[in-house]
Amino acid sequence: MWYLRINLVFVVAGVVIPGHSGYRHQHKRAFVMGSISITVPTLSTDNPTDKLGEVKPLKDIRINVKSTDFVEDANRTGYTIIEEPSRSKRQLRILCVGAGASAINFAHEVQESDLDLDLVCYEKNDSVGGTWYENKYPGCGCDIPSVNYQLSWAPSAEWTSLYVSPIVTRPIITTDTRNCSYSSASEILAYFKGVVDDYGLMRYIKLSHRVVGAFWNEEEKMWHVKIQRGDDPNDVFEDKAHVFINATGVLNKWKWPAIKGRELFQGPMLHSANWDYSIDLKGKKVGVIGSGSSAVQIVPSIQPSKSF
Ligand SMILES: *[C@@H]1O[C@H](CO)[C@@H](O)[C@H](O)[C@H]1NC(C)=O
Ligand SMILES: *[C@@H]1O[C@H](CO)[C@@H](O)[C@H](O)[C@H]1NC(C)=O
Ligand SMILES: *[C@@H]1O[C@H](CO)[C@@H](O)[C@H](O)[C@H]1NC(C)=O
Ligand SMILES: *[C@@H]1O[C@H](CO)[C@@H](O)[C@H](O)[C@H]1NC(C)=O
């Protein structure tokens, strides 16, 4: 195997700084002595099937330059030398709306990153979990098997519903949440809360903070974001960020269907996305509008034989 190795050693005013980064040009009057040793292509001794060779520096070049030479060079060619170590990282402040699955995943990315990132996630509700916190209607669950519906960096061994029939290759659908591969909303919520706790992601999240406005300031090159604390519409403050992330998801803004006369209905009205468990369905005749996945989950779950 061929390889090339270059070592640079700079001696600046008696301090040895190895490598090619990390020295500053303000040592203008100091002498910089550069020692460059170049190891040219040779054969590796790692692989016994290679014809073996020995690593020998072919040439040792020593140069003496003044650091001001660099500045003069840069001046002549129209470049400006930035007076900071190369590979310095620019700090980015990131503001994220929401603390659901997407924001939790992103917060973990930020935590793992070696970039200089400062993240805050503003969540309107008093809990993390997003749609899995807000959707709690009877029978609510995910239509993706739990083994797939989880964060790849935090797989859970705790799912109570992992069973996939060996005969029927697709998962068995049953209303018994202990024996279907689709977990319930409450179990998924517990999973996300657990992940946030286990990974210490709460430090990025501010609960009961609703983002109510955002605009880009071209001069500052920053987002100016308005945030309401709690329920008081007058308690609004401003925050700024380089990057603004909309992690609100698509299931967030529920609305009543446009059915003429709907608002004239005298009895209680429930929406799957905003279920009110204080309304007792026992002994009542219930009409369900819609036959999508929520209705498919709700109808068997509110049968008279079920208690919920
Ligand atoms: C380089 O240019 C700057 C600005 O034009 C000047 O202040 C500085 O003295 C120059 N440096 C050298 C080493 O020529
Ligand atoms: C989440 O916040 C919204 C807006 O404030 C509210 O309407 C909703 O009821 C809250 N959800 C829960 C489960 O508290
Ligand atoms: C789930 O269903 C399978 C197949 O019908 C059965 O063998 C198993 O005992 C059930 N498990 C639970 C927890 O009910
Ligand atoms: C944020 O994303 C949601 C879902 O995609 C979208 O409905 C909403 O308009 C977006 N908001 C902004 C301010 O872009």
Side-chain angles (χ1 to χ4, degrees):
M1 191 189 289
W2 297 88
Y3 69 96
L4 175 70
R5 196 183 65 198
I6 301 177
N7 286 327
L8 289 172
V9 178
F10 286 95
V11 184
V12 181
V15 184
V16 180
I17 304 168
H20 49 277
S21 64
Y23 72 95
R24 286 173 168 270
H25 283 280
Q26 61 251 45
H27 303 284
K28 284 196 181 91
R29 261 168 274 125
F31 257 79
V32 178
M33 193 189 73
S35 151
I36 306 171
S37 92
I38 301 172
T39 307
V40 292
T42 182
L43 286 169
S44 153
T45 50
D46 295 339
N47 186 345
T49 62
D50 272 355
K51 290 270 173 266
L52 299 185
E54 216 182 310
V55 180
K56 262 188 207 153
L58 277 196
K59 224 173 196 174
D60 225 4
I61 309 166
R62 280 171 189 279
I63 48 168
N64 283 323
V65 284
K66 275 188 254 167
S67 68
T68 50
D69 292 351
F70 292 123
V71 183
E72 276 160 19
D73 262 6
N75 275 4
R76 264 197 302 279
T77 50
Y79 289 96
T80 312
I81 290 179
I82 299 169
E83 298 287 335
E84 64 181 48
S86 66
R87 301 184 193 188
S88 302
K89 285 159 189 166
R90 169 192 172 201
Q91 200 202 42
L92 277 186
R93 179 159 169 81
I94 306 171
L95 196 151
C96 177
V97 191
S102 301
I104 292 169
N105 191 37
F106 184 69
H108 178 254
E109 286 290 315
V110 165
Q111 192 173 53
E112 295 288 291
S113 169
D114 63 353
L115 298 174
D116 191 356
L117 305 175
D118 175 22
L119 171 70
V120 59
C121 301
Y122 288 111
E123 165 57 53
K124 70 174 167 30
N125 284 108
D126 58 3
S127 165
V128 300
T131 202
W132 298 110
Y133 180 63
E134 293 209 67
N135 283 277
K136 34 179 89 161
Y137 57 82
C140 184
C142 185
D143 57 1
I144 297 168
S146 303
V147 275
N148 292 343
Y149 197 85
Q150 58 182 340
L151 297 157
S152 55
W153 45 271
S156 171
E158 310 283 307
W159 297 115
T160 53
S161 313
L162 279 176
Y163 177 73
V164 177
S165 164
I167 304 154
V168 188
T169 48
R170 64 200 164 79
I172 288 177
I173 299 166
T174 132
T175 51
D176 179 359
T177 53
R178 285 168 309 156
N179 201 4
C180 77
S181 45
Y182 304 116
S183 292
S184 65
S186 59
E187 192 175 349
I188 297 170
L189 174 63
Y191 164 76
F192 280 120
K193 281 179 167 175
V195 168
V196 168
D197 285 347
D198 292 351
Y199 288 80
L201 300 178
M202 207 59 215
R203 66 196 178 101
Y204 299 111
I205 298 168
K206 282 196 177 3
L207 301 174
S208 303
H209 281 72
R210 173 194 277 274
V211 171
V212 289
F215 66 92
W216 173 252
N217 184 311
E218 181 59 31
E219 267 149 51
E220 275 184 63
K221 308 254 183 272
M222 297 280 272
W223 283 96
H224 288 225
V225 183
K226 288 201 159 34
I227 298 119
Q228 178 189 315
R229 258 189 225 99
D231 294 330
D232 181 0
N234 297 317
D235 190 1
V236 173
F237 67 97
E238 192 180 87
D239 198 353
K240 293 184 200 180
H242 299 101
V243 181
F244 179 69
I245 296 179
N246 177 7
T248 58
V250 291
L251 300 174
N252 189 261
K253 274 191 196 143
W254 62 272
K255 59 178 193 312
W256 294 109
I259 294 170
K260 219 172 163 190
R262 182 199 55 81
E263 64 282 359
L264 301 176
F265 182 67
Q266 298 293 300
M269 267 184 286
L270 292 169
H271 194 289
S272 57
N274 195 36
W275 200 267
D276 181 356
Y277 276 95
S278 71
I279 294 170
D280 188 6
L281 301 183
K282 202 170 275 167
K284 297 217 170 66
K285 190 180 258 180
V286 179
V288 177
I289 300 169
S291 59
S293 49
S294 303
V296 167
Q297 292 169 328
I298 290 169
V299 172
S301 311
I302 61 169
Q303 293 309 302
S305 57
K306 293 262 167 186
S307 58
F308 64 90

